[in-house]
């Protein structure tokens, strides 16, 4: 499993949703947003996101690679834990 989380949501911020998800899941979370503010990326990673992508044609074309890398890291982490 992997979670793609848009940072700008109508009912809550991505940071709030990220916090809620981390209470019950260790699945990789990739935050995706149209906002290029570096602080949002830093805060998202500190709060438990595994990766961060700004929406742009170039970055979105990299999404497949980013998803694959994060899934591989997650699988290795779980294998080490014996899960």
């Amino acid at each position: 499993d992997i979670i793609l989380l848009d940072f700008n949501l109508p009912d809550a911020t991505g940071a709030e949703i990220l916090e809620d998800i981390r209470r019950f899941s260790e699945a990789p979370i990739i935050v995706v947003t149209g906002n290029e503010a570096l602080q949002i990326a830093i805060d998202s990673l500190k709060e438990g996101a595994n990766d961060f992508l700004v929406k742009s044609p170039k970055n979105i074309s990299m999404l497949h690679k980013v998803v694959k890398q994060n899934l591989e890291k997650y699988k290795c982490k779980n294998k080490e834990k014996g899960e």
Side-chain angles (χ1 to χ4, degrees), residues 5-18 20:
L5 175 62
D6 193 328
F7 192 82
N8 297 314
L9 301 167
D11 296 332
T13 67
E16 293 167 332
I17 301 298
L18 178 58
D20 289 344

Side-chain angles (χ1 to χ4, degrees), residues 6-33:
D6 193 328
F7 192 82
N8 297 314
L9 301 167
D11 296 332
T13 67
E16 293 167 332
I17 301 298
L18 178 58
E19 184 180 334
D20 289 344
I21 292 170
R22 281 294 173 234
R23 287 187 187 135
F24 66 87
S25 177
E26 291 183 11
I29 299 173
I30 300 171
V31 174
V32 183
T33 183

Side-chain angles (χ1 to χ4, degrees), residues 2 4 6 8 14 17 26 28 33 39-41 45 50 66 80-81:
I2 195 159
L4 299 177
D6 193 328
N8 297 314
I17 301 298
E26 291 183 11
T33 183
Q39 194 60 49
I40 292 174
L45 294 169
N50 298 84
V66 172
E80 290 171 4
K81 287 182 175 181

